Amino acid sequence: GLVRHEWEKHGTCSGLSPAEYFTVLRAASQSVVIPAQFSGTSRFALSPQAVEAAFARANPGLSNAGITTSCDSGLLTEVRICLTKSLEFRNCPEVDRNSCRAKSVTIEPVQ
């Protein structure tokens, strides 16, 4: 279901075939380093700004204006990184302005 959703919502207007689109999507995912502290087995809490700073430190060239966090009921739900079509980091104030405003968010262990 998720693959179909991603293709229908984002891929169909890309001008790429499904195979090309998902190849680019995989490359984009692999271009972002997830900070080591987020791959643990214990839950922990940080401010959304600290989450963004950790990703910026782990990814040279990524600025705080190119990353945003989403949260729901005190849980971190998403870290969004903006990339150009050539998979370079870029600023995205249109996304950044919707960043999580909580003082602290809980980060669940990656499963």
Side-chain angles (χ1 to χ4, degrees), residues 92-109:
C92 50
E94 70 281 4
V95 173
D96 193 41
R97 74 174 142 253
N98 295 320
S99 191
C100 175
R101 303 288 183 236
K103 282 188 170 188
S104 178
V105 291
T106 299
I107 293 98
E108 295 287 347

Side-chain angles (χ1 to χ4, degrees), residues 23-52:
T23 296
V24 170
L25 201 59
R26 276 188 292 283
S29 175
Q30 292 169 352
S31 72
V32 175
V33 174
I34 298 175
Q37 70 193 89
F38 295 90
S39 60
T41 58
S42 301
R43 66 191 310 194
F44 61 99
L46 286 176
S47 70
Q49 296 80 13
V51 171
E52 292 177 15

Side-chain angles (χ1 to χ4, degrees), residues 5-109:
H5 165 79
E6 287 301 312
W7 172 250
E8 289 175 357
K9 180 154 178 133
H10 305 290
T12 54
C13 62
S14 69
L16 302 172
S17 71
E20 292 168 327
Y21 174 74
F22 286 107
T23 296
V24 170
L25 201 59
R26 276 188 292 283
S29 175
Q30 292 169 352
S31 72
V32 175
V33 174
I34 298 175
Q37 70 193 89
F38 295 90
S39 60
T41 58
S42 301
R43 66 191 310 194
F44 61 99
L46 286 176
S47 70
Q49 296 80 13
V51 171
E52 292 177 15
F55 273 83
R57 280 191 306 276
N59 292 277
L62 175 61
S63 74
N64 285 346
I67 182 172
T68 189
T69 55
S70 298
C71 60
D72 185 28
S73 301
L75 293 175
L76 179 69
T77 57
E78 182 177 34
V79 176
R80 215 177 253 201
I81 309 265
C82 297
L83 301 170
T84 65
K85 288 183 180 185
S86 58
L87 305 184
E88 300 292 325
F89 295 122
R90 71 172 183 89
N91 292 343
C92 50
E94 70 281 4
V95 173
D96 193 41
R97 74 174 142 253
N98 295 320
S99 191
C100 175
R101 303 288 183 236
K103 282 188 170 188
S104 178
V105 291
T106 299
I107 293 98
E108 295 287 347

